[in-house]
Structures are given as C-alpha cells and as structure tokens.
Amino acid sequence: MSDVQPDKKPAEDSNDSRIIPRVIEEEMKKAYLDYAMSVIVGRALPDVKDGLKPVHRRILFAMNEMGMHHNKPFKKSARIVGEVLGKYHPHGDTAVYDSLVRMAQEFSLRYPLIDGQGNFGSIDGDNAAAMRYTEARLTKIAEELLVDIDKETVDFQPNFDGSLQEPIVLPAKIPNLLINGSSGIAVGMATNIPPHNAGEIIDGVIAVIDNPESTVDQIMHHVKGPDFPTFGSISRQELREAYQTGKGKITIKAKAEIEAKKDRERIIITEIPYQVNKSMLVEEIAEQVKSKTIQGISDIRDESNREGIRVVIELKKDAASQVVLNQLMTYTRLTTTFGVIMLALVDNQPQLLNLKQMMEHFIKHREVVVRRRSEFELRKAQERCHILDGLLIALKHIDEIVQKIKKSKDTEVAKNMLIADYELTEMQAKAILDMKLQRLSSLEQEKLRQEHKELLDRIAWLKDLLGSAQKILQIIKEELLELKKGYADARRTRIEIGDGEEVITEDLIKQEEVMVTISHNGYMKRIPVEVYKQQGRGGKGVIGAGTQEEDFMEDVFVASTHDSILFFSNKGQVYWKKVYDIPEGSRQARGKAIVNLVELEKDEKITAYIAVKEFKEGLYLFLATKKGIVKKTDLSAYGRPRQGGIRAISLGELDDLVNALLTDGKKQILLATKKGNAVKFNEEDCRPIGRTGQGVIGIRLEEGDEVIGAILADDTKAVLTVTENGYGKRSDIAEYRLIGRGGKGVINIQCSERNGDVVAVDSVTDEDEVMMISQSGIVIRMPCKGISIIGRNTQGVRLMKLDEKDKVVSATKIAREE
C-alpha cells in the first residue's frame, strides 16, 4: 500500500482499473454500519405508522394490487409469493411464504391479516403445507390498512429494479402496531411489542385525541393490558413500567382448573401462554414427572381439537391437586415471561417508545393521510366541476353550438371555435365535443345540474376541512369509532393483580342478570337466573341450595353484575360491594360467608340489600326499621363506604333495619307488619335527614307486632303478601287509603292459624314473577299472574305446598327478563 501514489495518474492496464486506498478498519466499520441499517430499516423493525415490516407491507400491497380482497375467491399462495418476489421483495421464497403464513395464523396474530385456506401450521409447531397446496386472500381488517392508498395519501418509492413503484408505508386506518404487535431481532437491537385488544386501543387513541395532555396512567384506564390470541392471564402490576418506559416484563400464565373425578382429581389446561408450543409443553411436563421434579401425576393426555386446547393431567389418588398445580406453574412453561421492548421506526430511525408516544405517532400519520386524501378529493372535485361548468355553458347555448360544430371543418376547428366564442378552456371544449347526444335530454341535463350542485357543496366542505386541524382530528375520531364497531371484540387475556385475584374492572366482566342468594347463617353466592325452572302455583319446586339442618335460605334478589350492592346490617351500618365481587356458585353450592366479603362486627348480620347502578343526585334511600321508624337520606351520602362500613341509620334499643328503598323523594310508601297490618303515606311526609340520623315514626305498632317490609306504593300495581304457611294473595294497592305518616294503618291480610304470620310483601304486576324459599331450602318460582287478586281483609290462597314443620322464610319478586 505504501507504494501507491494516489495523486499520480495510474498506469493503464488491460482492465482500465483504478486502485483506491482505504484503511481497512474504516472500511469494515462503514460496511458493517451499512449492513446494520439495512437490517434495521429493511428487514427487522416495524414502522410506527402502519406496524409492518417491509416484507409484510409488500405482501399486503401485492395482494391488494391482485384484487385478492376478503370477498373475492382464494388464490394459490405460490402465485402470491411469485408476485411479491418478482415485483417487490427479491429475498427468497421461503422468507415471503413464512411471513404470509404467520399473518394467517390465529394463534400468532390477535387479528390475522391473511385469510388462509389449507394447512397453515398449528400451535404444536407443525409447519404449514407447501405454498402450492395452500390458498389465501386478505382479511377485512387488512384492507383497512390499504384504504385510500390510491388517493395519493402516502409516498411511493421505486422497487428493487426501478420498474415499479411501491408504498413506503400504508395509510393504516387502524393502529396495527399496537393491536397485532411485532417482534424482530436487528443488529444491536430488538423489538417485542405485545398485541392488544382493538376496542381498548381505539378508546386509548381517542382519549389522546380528546386530551393531548393525557398521561400513560390515564390511557391505561382504557388499555387494560396486552391481549394475546392464545388467552392466558397476565399480571396488572407489571404493566405500568412497560407502558411508561417502553421496556418491561410481563408474566403470562396458562389457565388450569382442578376437576374432581370419582375418587381422584385431575388438572385440565385450556389456555397456554403466548408463543408456547403445546406439544413441547406436554413433553416438558412429562420430563419433569420423569425426573420427579413434579410428583403426583399418573397420566398426561392431549385432548385438544378444533374447539380449543384441552390437556388433561390425571393425578394419583393421594396427590394434593393444588400442590401439583403450583409445581406445574413453577417448573414448566405454563408460566412464561414476555419481554416488552416497544422499539419501532420513526422516520426510518429506530426509537424506543412508550404507549402514549406510539399513539401520538399513529395520530400524526392519520392526520397526514386524511389531509392528503382530502386534497386529492378536492382536486378531483374541482377538475370535475370545471368540466361541468363547460357542459352547462354548452347546454345553455346548445342549438347554436350544434350548428357551429356542424359547420366546422374538423375537430380541431370546432375546439378552437368553442374556446374563442364561449371563453372555455381546452379541457372544457374537449368534454363538450365528447359529450353524447343522450346527455341533451331534459332528464340528463337535470342530472348534470344536480351533480354540479353536489360538487360545489363537496368542494366547500373539503376546503373547510382542510382549513381546520380540529376537524381533521374529528374525522380521524369518527373513523376510529366506526372501526371499533366492526372489529372490537371481547378481551381474551385475563388481567390479574399480584396475588392472582382477577382485577376489578367492569370492562372485563360480562354484564348479565344474576340471582344473589343469602342463607340464614350468612352464606352468599350468585347464580344465573336461568338455573331455576319456572313452575305453576302449588308446585313442589327445586332444591335451591345445599343447606345444613341449622341453616336455611333467607333472601334472594336479582341484580346486574355491574351493579353496586349496598348491604345494610341490623346495627344500622352500610357496606358497599360490586355484584361481580360475589362468588359464583352452582345451585347446590353453599356459597361464601358474608363475613368474608364485608367486615362485620360481632353479633352483626346483614338484614337489607339494594342494587344501585350509580350514585347520582336526586335519588334517595328510604330506610324502614322493625320498630316502625323510617328515614330518607340522599343516595350520594352512601356512595363510598369505608371497608369497615359507615353509619346508615342510628337505631333505638332492640330495633333492626328491615328494608331499604331507592326513590326520587316523591313516592308513596307502604309499610306492612308481621301481624297483617299496613299503612300507606306520602314519602314527602319524611324530610331528608343526614346519614347518621335516627329517623321518624312511620307506623304505630301493636304489642308483639313488627314491620316485615316496606314497598313503593304504585296504585297501578298490587301488593303481594306471603305468609309463613305457604299462603298468600295479591291486593290492589289502590285499595289502601292514603293516611299520614305515623298511623296504625289498615288490615293487609288475615293472619289466621292457617296462614301464620306474614313473611314478605312486595309490589307486583302480572309480568312479574316471585321466588319463594322454605326453611328446608326448597325453592319455587312462579308467575304473579297465577296468584289471585282479592281484597285486603282476606286470607289468600295456597302458593306453596310445605312438608310438616317446614315454613316459608322468604319470598322475592323477580322481574321478567326482556
């Protein structure tokens, strides 16, 4: 190298070559950096705008150009691969086909972009069939990434040989990077972005549009966490760091349940962590059993099918199922970690982004797309409007124009005549000469004028849109809401807090009507309403709960899983709980002790319950006690009780709370007693008082009598009264005269030896149903229209047949489902 003279003209040789000196270290550094950037930009990292790597973008673009939309026939994968290779991506057919296959796998992408037909591999690690055997087309959601690509919304670049143009990025109407995630290893860096639920991400993006100052914590109110296609559960505590910094670790757990079978138990696995090979997982469990790391397993079977995953692990007779399950979670890939690295290309530069930054870049991209689309549509509308202006001028002078055209020597002369005589442009003149004679009919002329008017309106709207950044954001928001209607689905991955308890978030809880049951000894559960079969009056019913001799069912009510339950105790305390906090059980299950749900004091028990949808102004809680005391308090005073409860009413000696009603402060109230009396009065007779107040007299009681219930007195309904011996009746509420608060009332039902004392009253219509529960746990459900309507001062009819010594302890109205 020392002999080279770079400043001298080199000697000519047969190859006319020139030697250029380079320091080898610098040459290697430059070459390696070029290679690294080529891998980073051209292969391994997704673009933050459309969430795609070049190979995926080229596949989708090529399929769109081939017209392979979701509603068109499938085409061979080999044909697609050939198209992509020949026009856009000359890097080997295996790379292209493997990318196409992954975009079609439901266990790889949360929202697959390719609709595949044939064998596209399995969660067991099976390879896809050869490309000559499989067929594919775009999914509908993939087409949302390509919408408006023909309207100059994105920049194009020459393909590898300069013969064609390909998009640098897709318009991407939906935030694909976050909903489908991405993974890739570049040179010196890697990306691993988890998939998310489309509905949650769209809500998060809209929140950022509405409030650009939103924090990551505020966005996380909408984006609960990653949503993997293979379900599983993740820890809530680990998410904040990943979303705040762009890097973090998420623990994914399988779903495994213990199932009892005769004299032994078994573990059923129905969900596995994301990117875990199921067949290898089964082999791993077998190896751990063989090495005795996990003990107590007698057999492992993979019973998975098209319906889903099902791996059955049979346990030995003396095995502790929970211990074995914990060992499986600890020593196998039933528990894995997902390392979050939210790295993406921002203007061809790799950047680590947090959750909000990713959403902001998507919004900026969509702003550019919508603006460029609007400019394109405005230009096309103005061009068409310009043509129509010329056509309308021609129609106005059609007779003389026709004569002049007929006299013209040729088309060029006619065109020049139109331009000169009518001040038209060359484009307008050409359009007039090209106009068909059929456009001269009056109907066609009217269509032209209507089109011209609509175009003027469209042009005005587009100009207004382009002049307002806020209106462009509103368009983006409206398009996202439309996408949410089409693609938002239920979350698959459950979110847990540190101790494994499912996080309390209504977005993850299905809203449905459930039956909440409470036993005399304080056991509680919720059951789907459909469990109880409807029976006619006088039926024997079905077993409602597995009760012990000293316990029996005491109360039942219907509520939505999203409602709040206010628990009122005999000591005048109130406790607050969501219905979905109450454990679900079978019809025969005992339930969970209320003392494990709310913190009750010694000798304290829950005596009244009310379901509340929201604690808003203008609503009141009306409370009634056993001694006839009533009280009205604003509902908002009960909105957020402390964990140990708050005071609902100050009770006198030996008094208990019997009922709580939700009112608007202007209702009529009916109080009914155990000995068959009732009083009806205006709620306005009770002025609102504070939460800890004692109340006022609602009814004056005879010796040995007590209030059994309080209802809203609607004269269009009837009072349903049920006695302990299984008798009851309906009486029109209008029959009960309105008197002042504090009176003794009138007879509601004859409490004879046949009837016994009153156990329940409620206001009902023909459309309602009633659930009756006996001391022995027998439940019967019947329509109220099957119960006779008779006068107040009567005994009623038999509603429920009881065994000897059995008594009715509760009767509750059930609203018929819509």
Side-chain angles (χ1 to χ4, degrees):
M1 295 290 290
S2 59
D3 295 332
V4 176
Q5 302 294 327
D7 293 332
K8 288 185 177 182
K9 184 176 180 180
E12 294 184 4
D13 56 22
S14 57
N15 295 322
D16 192 25
S17 63
R18 182 182 179 90
I19 299 173
I20 301 174
R22 288 284 188 271
V23 178
I24 191 167
E25 291 87 348
E26 294 296 327
E27 181 68 17
M28 291 182 68
K29 184 187 294 184
K30 181 179 183 300
Y32 190 74
L33 284 174
D34 289 344
Y35 162 73
M37 286 306 297
S38 173
V39 172
I40 290 168
V41 176
R43 189 181 304 175
L45 298 185
D47 195 293
V48 72
K49 297 173 182 176
D50 61 6
L52 298 171
K53 300 176 187 178
V55 64
H56 302 118
R57 188 179 299 117
R58 287 164 176 165
I59 291 170
L60 297 180
F61 178 68
M63 292 178 71
N64 186 62
E65 291 291 289
M66 296 168 69
M68 299 178 61
H69 301 139
H70 76 280
N71 54 356
K72 299 295 176 61
F74 290 91
K75 291 183 181 177
K76 286 289 184 182
S77 299
R79 182 175 175 185
I80 301 167
V81 172
E83 186 83 2
V84 175
L85 280 179
K87 292 184 176 180
Y88 309 112
H89 196 78
H91 293 291
D93 59 349
T94 302
V96 175
Y97 185 52
D98 286 351
S99 299
L100 185 149
V101 165
R102 187 177 183 277
M103 287 195 289
Q105 291 174 338
E106 292 186 351
F107 53 87
S108 293
L109 264 65
R110 180 64 176 84
Y111 300 91
L113 302 176
I114 302 291
D115 183 7
Q117 184 168 267
N119 175 16
F120 276 81
S122 73
I123 201 169
D124 288 323
D126 300 320
N127 293 325
M131 67 180 80
R132 62 184 178 274
Y133 298 120
T134 61
E135 297 178 330
R137 62 184 176 187
L138 293 172
T139 59
K140 192 173 182 182
I141 197 170
E143 293 172 21
E144 304 292 356
L145 298 174
L146 294 148
V147 169
D148 299 325
I149 198 169
D150 57 345
K151 294 183 178 180
E152 300 177 4
T153 51
V154 294
D155 292 332
F156 279 68
Q157 64 186 5
N159 69 339
F160 62 90
D161 63 0
S163 62
L164 296 168
Q165 294 285 308
E166 62 173 318
I168 295 174
V169 69
L170 299 185
K173 202 173 181 181
I174 198 163
N176 179 60
L177 183 58
L178 283 168
I179 68 169
N180 270 327
S182 184
S183 62
I185 300 173
V187 178
M189 61 186 71
T191 186
N192 206 27
I193 303 169
H196 292 80
N197 183 272
E200 292 181 6
I201 291 297
I202 289 172
D203 286 341
V205 173
I206 290 173
V208 175
I209 292 174
D210 290 339
N211 179 20
E213 303 302 318
S214 297
T215 64
V216 171
D217 285 337
Q218 289 171 331
I219 296 172
M220 286 181 67
H221 288 301
H222 304 282
V223 182
K224 310 302 178 185
D227 193 19
F228 298 104
T230 52
F231 297 83
S233 62
I234 58 178
S235 173
R236 175 79 173 180
Q237 293 179 336
E238 299 171 330
L239 296 176
R240 190 172 183 274
E241 180 184 357
Y243 286 153
Q244 286 276 13
T245 66
K247 294 185 73 173
K249 182 184 70 173
I250 298 173
T251 301
I252 312 175
K253 293 183 179 180
K255 182 179 181 181
E257 298 175 343
I258 299 170
E259 182 180 284
K261 184 185 178 185
K262 296 182 180 179
D263 59 342
R264 62 186 67 197
E265 294 178 311
R266 60 184 182 180
I267 296 172
I268 310 295
I269 301 169
T270 54
E271 298 171 8
I272 64 175
Y274 183 53
Q275 294 177 331
V276 168
N277 184 308
K278 177 167 60 66
S279 62
M280 292 179 67
L281 173 65
V282 173
E283 291 176 10
E284 182 184 25
I285 295 172
E287 285 295 325
Q288 296 291 353
V289 173
K290 187 177 180 180
S291 64
K292 297 187 178 179
T293 303
I294 300 175
Q295 298 182 354
I297 294 176
S298 61
D299 187 30
I300 306 171
R301 295 190 310 277
D302 185 357
E303 298 180 354
S304 305
N305 54 31
R306 292 183 178 180
E307 301 299 319
I309 293 172
R310 180 180 170 86
V311 177
V312 180
I313 300 174
E314 298 284 357
L315 304 184
K316 294 179 181 177
K317 190 172 183 180
D318 57 347
S321 56
Q322 193 60 55
V323 172
V324 175
L325 180 55
N326 290 342
Q327 290 177 339
L328 286 167
M329 289 293 184
T330 303
Y331 298 117
T332 72
R333 279 182 292 173
L334 287 178
T335 300
T336 63
T337 57
F338 185 96
V340 177
I341 308 173
M342 297 173 72
L343 188 75
L345 294 176
V346 179
D347 297 327
N348 276 346
Q349 298 295 319
Q351 289 187 20
L352 186 67
L353 306 167
N354 64 22
L355 180 63
K356 182 184 178 184
Q357 289 170 330
M358 282 196 162
M359 292 181 171
E360 287 174 335
H361 283 296
F362 173 76
I363 294 168
K364 288 178 183 177
H365 172 59
R366 287 303 298 169
E367 284 183 276
V368 172
V369 168
V370 172
R371 181 172 293 278
R372 291 180 62 165
R373 179 185 69 193
S374 301
E375 289 170 349
F376 175 85
E377 290 176 350
L378 176 61
R379 186 174 71 252
K380 292 295 184 183
Q382 288 173 331
E383 290 173 358
R384 177 60 180 165
C385 191
H386 179 66
I387 296 296
L388 290 178
D389 285 337
L391 294 179
L392 291 175
I393 291 173
L395 291 175
K396 188 176 180 180
H397 307 90
I398 189 63
D399 292 334
E400 62 183 72
I401 285 176
V402 170
Q403 292 300 322
K404 289 180 180 180
I405 291 174
K406 287 169 65 177
K407 295 176 181 178
S408 299
K409 181 180 178 181
D410 54 27
T411 304
E412 188 66 23
V413 172
K415 182 179 71 174
N416 293 332
M417 175 272 298
L418 290 171
I419 294 173
D421 293 357
Y422 299 98
E423 298 181 352
L424 301 174
T425 65
E426 184 173 346
M427 185 183 299
Q428 289 174 323
K430 189 174 184 307
I432 293 170
L433 292 172
D434 291 340
M435 184 171 62
K436 294 180 180 180
L437 289 176
Q438 68 184 33
R439 306 302 295 270
L440 300 179
S441 66
S442 59
L443 183 61
E444 289 295 324
Q445 289 184 36
E446 184 57 35
K447 285 183 179 179
L448 286 175
R449 293 187 181 93
Q450 182 64 28
E451 183 186 357
H452 186 258
K453 180 180 179 301
E454 291 173 356
L455 275 173
L456 290 175
D457 292 341
R458 178 69 175 169
I459 289 169
W461 183 85
L462 287 169
K463 286 181 177 179
D464 184 51
L465 174 64
L466 288 168
S468 170
Q470 197 58 42
K471 289 183 178 179
I472 289 177
L473 287 173
Q474 184 62 30
I475 291 291
I476 296 170
K477 184 176 173 181
E478 290 171 1
E479 289 178 349
L480 286 171
L481 289 171
E482 193 64 31
L483 289 170
K484 183 180 176 182
K485 291 180 184 178
Y487 302 108
D489 54 5
R491 165 173 278 280
R492 295 184 184 181
T493 301
R494 300 178 307 283
I495 300 180
E496 300 175 349
I497 57 179
D499 59 1
E501 180 183 347
E502 188 159 321
V503 83
I504 305 307
T505 166
E506 293 186 1
D507 290 338
L508 306 181
I509 304 295
K510 180 182 178 182
Q511 186 167 350
E512 59 183 348
E513 295 293 305
V514 293
M515 189 82 66
V516 181
T517 67
I518 303 100
S519 75
H520 178 70
N521 284 349
Y523 286 87
M524 193 173 192
K525 66 183 177 183
R526 59 182 168 92
I527 313 168
V529 173
E530 294 77 15
V531 167
Y532 295 100
K533 61 184 180 182
Q534 185 174 319
Q535 295 189 338
R537 178 171 65 84
K540 290 289 288 184
V542 296
I543 297 295
T547 56
Q548 301 174 344
E549 288 186 8
E550 69 276 10
D551 196 12
F552 54 86
M553 295 302 299
E554 190 173 78
D555 211 343
V556 173
F557 62 93
V558 175
S560 166
T561 49
H562 283 204
D563 288 352
S564 301
I565 302 295
L566 295 182
F567 297 80
F568 296 88
S569 77
N570 61 325
K571 292 188 175 183
Q573 292 288 102
V574 61
Y575 303 88
W576 185 91
K577 214 73 176 173
K578 282 287 190 179
V579 172
Y580 53 64
D581 276 333
I582 301 167
E584 185 173 1
S586 66
R587 183 161 48 82
Q588 291 80 16
R590 188 182 187 189
K592 188 173 184 178
I594 293 179
V595 293
N596 293 329
L597 295 173
V598 295
E599 295 183 1
L600 299 177
E601 297 178 4
K602 187 178 180 181
D603 299 327
E604 184 180 18
K605 66 177 183 176
I606 301 299
T607 58
Y609 321 84
I610 188 167
V612 178
K613 292 195 178 296
E614 56 181 327
F615 295 87
K616 60 183 181 180
E617 295 182 1
L619 294 178
Y620 297 88
L621 278 180
F622 188 91
L623 308 179
T625 75
K626 182 172 66 174
K627 295 295 185 182
I629 302 298
V630 295
K631 172 189 166 185
K632 182 173 71 174
T633 304
D634 195 288
L635 177 63
S636 61
Y638 301 90
R640 289 288 173 184
R642 293 183 295 273
Q643 189 171 4
I646 59 175
R647 177 67 60 187
I649 185 172
S650 296
L651 297 172
E653 186 178 359
L654 301 178
D655 201 0
D656 289 318
L657 187 67
V658 296
N659 210 353
L661 302 172
L662 188 62
T663 77
D664 61 4
K666 301 176 182 179
K667 303 293 185 185
Q668 292 181 350
I669 305 296
L670 188 144
L671 300 179
T673 73
K674 181 172 71 173
K675 296 301 181 183
N677 285 343
V679 61
K680 184 171 78 169
F681 59 89
N682 282 318
E683 183 188 353
E684 292 176 330
D685 292 348
C686 302
R687 63 179 179 85
I689 60 176
R691 179 171 53 78
T692 57
Q694 186 173 2
V696 294
I697 296 174
I699 184 172
R700 297 188 185 277
L701 301 170
E702 298 288 344
E703 185 70 25
D705 201 3
E706 62 187 46
V707 173
I708 202 71
I711 62 173
L712 298 176
D714 183 347
D715 286 350
T716 64
K717 297 183 179 181
V719 177
L720 171 66
T721 305
V722 179
T723 66
E724 61 184 349
N725 292 338
Y727 290 86
K729 66 182 177 69
R730 288 189 295 162
S731 299
D732 289 329
I733 292 179
E735 286 191 19
Y736 297 75
R737 61 187 176 88
L738 190 67
I739 63 174
R741 173 186 57 79
K744 289 187 177 181
V746 297
I747 294 175
N748 176 38
I749 192 172
Q750 294 284 353
C751 290
S752 61
E753 183 177 351
R754 184 198 77 165
N755 282 356
D757 291 337
V758 177
V759 294
V761 295
D762 215 331
S763 62
V764 297
T765 66
D766 284 348
E767 286 72 33
D768 291 329
E769 294 177 310
V770 62
M771 182 80 76
M772 298 174 60
I773 306 113
S774 78
Q775 189 171 358
S776 61
I778 300 298
V779 177
I780 185 171
R781 175 178 178 176
M782 70 178 69
C784 290
K785 64 183 178 182
I787 302 172
S788 302
I789 297 181
I790 52 181
R792 288 188 298 100
N793 193 5
T794 55
Q795 292 192 81
V797 297
R798 182 186 293 276
L799 303 180
M800 185 176 185
K801 294 178 181 177
L802 298 171
D803 295 331
E804 189 177 356
K805 297 182 179 180
D806 198 8
K807 291 186 180 298
V808 175
V809 294
S810 177
T812 305
K813 179 181 70 175
I814 303 170
R816 189 180 296 273
E817 292 181 276
E818 295 295 334

